[in-house]
């Protein structure tokens, strides 16, 4: 969607734009899934510069007009891609490990599962970083970066406790999730840049120690405030 000849798609009217619904037909749903898959492949293989409507349509096996019907803006398609990436991550995590009941142990298991996932999904990790930078650099698209990080925080925060229906536990879960993301994001970039797996493994162990301690402190503060 970066080619001059392919910039007829307008930006969404607001941060809730998500593209037109696929409709109730099975064919419509399958077409939408193919378009999202084509966009993901373009983003993961070539970055934002490769994310053109022509390439996505070719990868999805649809006409340009069909792509424009389902996604009337670049941002609405990127939001769908983001949601698909997070769904893929959640499936991978849940298949990777059964989370323990104890919150500190759950945090450790989450970080370890995250690190295993990161190691086998290099292109996805870089694509998500590029998506963030695109949103921050593009006027009017900043909401997409906020949506992206809130989705990550919600994802991790929801998994910190076995039952997070309590408002205070949800707050603590999100606080831990924010700190986890700070550490994980830094380790991702440093790991890919330095290509030192041993050092990155040490960093993961340090992050686990820090997050267990941080969660312990937040729970103790909650107990004292009662």
């Amino acid at each position: 969607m970066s080619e001059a000849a392919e910039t007829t798609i307008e930006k969404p009217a607001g941060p809730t734009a998500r593209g037109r619904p696929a409709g109730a037909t099975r064919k419509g749903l399958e077409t939408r899934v193919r378009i999202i898959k084509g966009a993901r492949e373009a983003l993961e293989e070539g970055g934002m510069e490769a994310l053109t409507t022509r390439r996505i349509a070719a990868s999805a096996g649809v006409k340009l007009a069909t792509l424009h019907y389902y996604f009337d803006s670049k941002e609405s398609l990127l939001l769908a891609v983001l949601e698909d990436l997070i769904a893929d991550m959640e499936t991978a995590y849940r298949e990777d490990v059964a989370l323990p009941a104890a919150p500190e142990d759950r945090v450790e298991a989450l970080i370890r599962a995250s690190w295993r996932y990161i190691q086998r999904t290099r292109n996805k990790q870089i694509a998500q970083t590029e998506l963030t930078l695109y949103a921050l650099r593009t006027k009017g698209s900043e909401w997409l970066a906020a949506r992206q990080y809130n989705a990550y925080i919600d994802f991790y925060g929801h998994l910190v406790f076995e039952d997070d229906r309590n408002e205070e536990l949800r707050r603590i879960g999100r606080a831990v999730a924010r700190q986890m993301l700070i550490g994980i994001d830094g380790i991702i970039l440093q790991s890919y840049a330095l290509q030192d797996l041993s050092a990155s493994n040490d960093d993961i162990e340090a992050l686990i120690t820090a997050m267990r301690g941080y969660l312990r402190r937040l729970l103790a503060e909650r107990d004292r405030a009662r």
Side-chain angles (χ1 to χ4, degrees), residues 93 107 110-112 114-115 118 125 129 149 152-153 156 174-192 199-212 214:
Y93 282 24
V107 167
L110 275 171
I111 295 173
R112 293 196 187 282
S114 176
W115 182 231
I118 289 163
Q125 304 307 318
T129 300
Y149 266 82
Y152 296 154
I153 292 166
Y156 284 109
R174 284 180 61 85
V176 172
R178 289 196 304 271
Q179 298 303 312
M180 283 174 58
L181 279 169
I182 290 170
I184 288 169
D185 281 354
I187 293 171
I188 287 173
L189 294 178
Q190 183 171 268
S191 173
Y192 293 160
S200 296
N201 286 336
D202 289 344
D203 295 337
I204 287 294
E205 295 303 319
L207 179 61
I208 289 170
T209 300
M211 290 301 96
R212 289 181 70 106
Y214 183 53

Side-chain angles (χ1 to χ4, degrees), residues 2-226:
S2 62
E3 294 177 0
E6 299 177 283
T7 55
T8 57
I9 297 179
E10 298 296 329
K11 289 186 177 181
T16 58
R18 298 161 65 95
R20 293 181 176 85
T25 68
R26 178 177 178 180
K27 183 178 179 181
L29 292 171
E30 290 175 347
T31 299
R32 191 174 190 277
V33 168
R34 287 207 314 274
I35 293 171
I36 294 170
K37 183 175 181 291
R40 270 188 59 171
E41 289 175 350
L43 182 60
E44 291 175 18
E45 293 171 7
M48 294 301 301
E49 291 183 0
L51 201 64
T52 66
T53 53
R54 193 174 303 281
R55 175 166 177 171
I56 295 168
S59 179
V62 301
K63 296 179 180 179
L64 284 175
T66 301
L67 187 154
H68 287 222
Y69 172 78
Y70 285 99
F71 296 98
D72 58 1
S73 72
K74 186 171 187 175
E75 284 72 16
S76 65
L77 178 53
L78 288 176
L79 179 57
V81 168
L82 170 63
E83 292 172 343
D84 194 54
L85 287 167
I86 292 173
D88 180 71
M89 182 171 66
E90 181 170 10
T91 299
Y93 282 24
R94 292 191 181 278
E95 290 177 350
D96 180 81
V97 62
L99 293 175
E104 282 187 44
D105 293 339
R106 288 174 75 86
V107 167
E108 177 172 345
L110 275 171
I111 295 173
R112 293 196 187 282
S114 176
W115 182 231
R116 287 190 290 270
Y117 182 73
I118 289 163
Q119 288 179 287
R120 64 177 184 268
T121 56
R122 183 180 187 275
N123 286 349
K124 284 185 176 66
Q125 304 307 318
I126 294 174
Q128 289 179 80
T129 300
E130 291 184 324
L131 177 57
T132 305
L133 295 177
Y134 164 83
L136 294 175
R137 286 180 179 276
T138 305
K139 187 175 181 180
S141 297
E142 297 87 352
W143 64 268
L144 183 59
R147 180 75 67 87
Q148 182 183 15
Y149 266 82
N150 274 319
Y152 296 154
I153 292 166
D154 286 342
F155 172 75
Y156 284 109
H158 178 67
L159 294 175
V160 169
F161 296 100
E162 196 168 20
D163 183 356
D164 69 346
R165 286 176 293 182
N166 178 277
E167 184 177 347
E168 185 64 11
L169 290 184
R170 284 199 302 273
R171 183 192 67 78
I172 292 173
R174 284 180 61 85
V176 172
R178 289 196 304 271
Q179 298 303 312
M180 283 174 58
L181 279 169
I182 290 170
I184 288 169
D185 281 354
I187 293 171
I188 287 173
L189 294 178
Q190 183 171 268
S191 173
Y192 293 160
L194 300 181
Q195 299 184 39
D196 187 340
L197 183 58
S198 177
S200 296
N201 286 336
D202 289 344
D203 295 337
I204 287 294
E205 295 303 319
L207 179 61
I208 289 170
T209 300
M211 290 301 96
R212 289 181 70 106
Y214 183 53
L215 175 58
R216 194 181 312 124
R217 193 192 88 192
L218 291 178
L219 289 174
E221 289 174 353
R222 180 202 62 166
D223 292 341
R224 286 196 297 270
R226 285 179 173 178

